[in-house]
Amino acid sequence: MSASLPKPILARRVDPYSVRLFVSAARAGSIVRAAEQEHIAPSALSRRLADLEHAFGTPLLIRSPRGVVLTDAGRLVLARGEKIDEDLQALVREVQTEGDEVRGTVRLCANMSAVIGFLPERLRAFMAAFPEVQVSLQEQNTRDVIRACLDDRADVGVGVHVPLPAGLESWHFATDPLQVVLPAGHALAGKRAMRFAQALEHPLIGVHQGGALDRSLHERAEALRKPFAPTVSVSSFDAVCRMVEAGMGIAVIPQSAAAAYAGNPRFVRRPLDEPWAQRELRMFALRKTPRPRAVAALIERLQG
């Protein structure tokens, strides 16, 4: 009878950051207290612990309203995990102080406004200053950008300023006010600025249904007790501008998205005269100490 090959010990990889969070929870005896210490949302920490238990294939903690206690397997992971975390932190410090050259890969997630209006020039300048750093850029809506940062799938995120969950740091990136864009011959084209209620009285072009801007405009329309019902919805700001240029309707979009059409004789841009139209873009990053040098350099260079 031939001997069978041993089964893999782990079905999923063990993430060092999750090990660190487990050590914190075990020491604190509470997921909530550990989340406060690690500057992360309790729900995100709990999800990390569940993933870690799944990777090991056995419960590591016994949860109750009074807190958490270790299982036998949990005590073993705690003993090894403390040493792993200490070694990793020491390694990071050694690497960060090794030489003056900044190198590595930075994972950047950004919303559509940032990608179109601000990032190309800023990234070009950054990469010229730090040629050994690779930037992996993905476009996401703001909600997904924040989730990617929380889950440590992105080192830096850029999106619309919103209340942030615990665990994230934030910096100013750019001011990007909303504008109303219209065909040149439109009845409202002669106005210097307009209120949102006026725009709602005309056929509208929507963009990225379910995205941050779409949700915000729905909420503002509801506050005015008016429907926000675009006759056409598209997936990009460029498509919105083309629809407006062709006379399909008007749209509310960020200034950065409409800037490419400045000077076009068939296209008119007007400020949206509302306090909430002064939109701010922010950078987000998971709170980490120490922060990798390439990530810190990108955050510093991208600040507006």
Side-chain angles (χ1 to χ4, degrees), residues 91-107:
L91 175 60
V92 169
R93 286 191 295 271
E94 289 177 15
V95 171
Q96 292 295 311
T97 56
E98 182 66 26
D100 296 327
E101 194 169 33
V102 179
R103 63 177 69 224
T105 299
V106 182
R107 302 164 298 171

Side-chain angles (χ1 to χ4, degrees), residues 45-202:
L45 190 149
S46 182
R47 186 165 55 252
R48 287 273 190 171
L49 296 182
D51 289 344
L52 188 65
E53 289 176 317
H54 180 66
F56 281 110
T58 186
L60 304 178
L61 297 168
I62 299 172
R63 298 159 174 80
S64 75
R66 302 181 65 179
V68 296
V69 295
L70 295 170
T71 64
D72 290 341
R75 281 189 284 272
L76 176 60
V77 173
L78 175 61
R80 299 286 183 88
E82 289 176 325
K83 182 65 167 58
I84 290 171
D85 185 55
E86 290 171 3
D87 289 346
L88 282 174
Q89 294 304 314
L91 175 60
V92 169
R93 286 191 295 271
E94 289 177 15
V95 171
Q96 292 295 311
T97 56
E98 182 66 26
D100 296 327
E101 194 169 33
V102 179
R103 63 177 69 224
T105 299
V106 182
R107 302 164 298 171
L108 174 62
C109 273
N111 75 340
M112 196 185 307
S113 299
V115 171
I116 292 174
F118 303 95
L119 276 173
E121 290 76 17
R122 295 190 193 184
L123 283 179
R124 182 180 61 187
F126 171 80
M127 297 173 82
F130 299 97
E132 297 300 319
V133 177
Q134 300 292 319
V135 179
S136 174
L137 173 62
Q138 287 192 349
E139 181 185 304
Q140 302 278 356
N141 64 51
T142 296
R143 181 168 48 187
D144 291 336
V145 167
I146 291 172
R147 174 49 56 193
C149 291
L150 274 176
D151 290 345
D152 206 18
R153 291 182 286 106
D155 299 304
V156 182
V158 183
V160 179
H161 178 41
V162 294
L164 291 180
L168 291 185
E169 292 186 87
S170 176
W171 302 264
H172 176 75
F173 178 75
T175 300
D176 196 17
L178 295 177
Q179 294 187 331
V180 182
V181 292
L182 316 92
H186 195 274
L188 297 177
K191 293 184 174 294
R192 290 189 174 184
M194 68 190 67
R195 305 302 297 267
F196 187 45
Q198 293 175 294
L200 289 171
E201 295 173 357
H202 298 265

Side-chain angles (χ1 to χ4, degrees), residues 160-162 178 196 208 210-223 228 252 272 276-277 279:
V160 179
H161 178 41
V162 294
L178 295 177
F196 187 45
H208 201 180
L213 177 58
D214 181 67
R215 295 197 308 274
S216 176
L217 295 181
H218 271 92
E219 291 169 2
R220 299 298 178 178
E222 287 178 7
F228 180 69
V252 177
L272 182 61
W276 50 266
R279 206 174 68 140

Side-chain angles (χ1 to χ4, degrees), residues 229-300:
T231 55
V232 179
S233 288
V234 293
S235 60
S236 71
F237 289 130
D238 186 62
V240 169
C241 293
R242 286 290 295 117
M243 291 289 179
V244 171
E245 187 183 31
M248 296 289 293
I250 68 176
V252 177
I253 61 175
Q255 177 178 288
S256 61
Y261 285 78
N264 186 325
R266 293 177 294 176
F267 193 82
V268 175
R269 304 183 300 158
R270 295 291 181 263
L272 182 61
D273 185 16
E274 301 287 353
W276 50 266
Q278 300 307 307
R279 206 174 68 140
E280 181 189 7
L281 300 182
R282 305 279 299 179
M283 278 192 298
F284 318 119
L286 192 65
R287 193 183 304 274
K288 289 184 178 180
T289 304
R291 196 182 299 283
R293 293 175 66 187
V295 175
L298 182 65
I299 291 172
E300 181 181 356

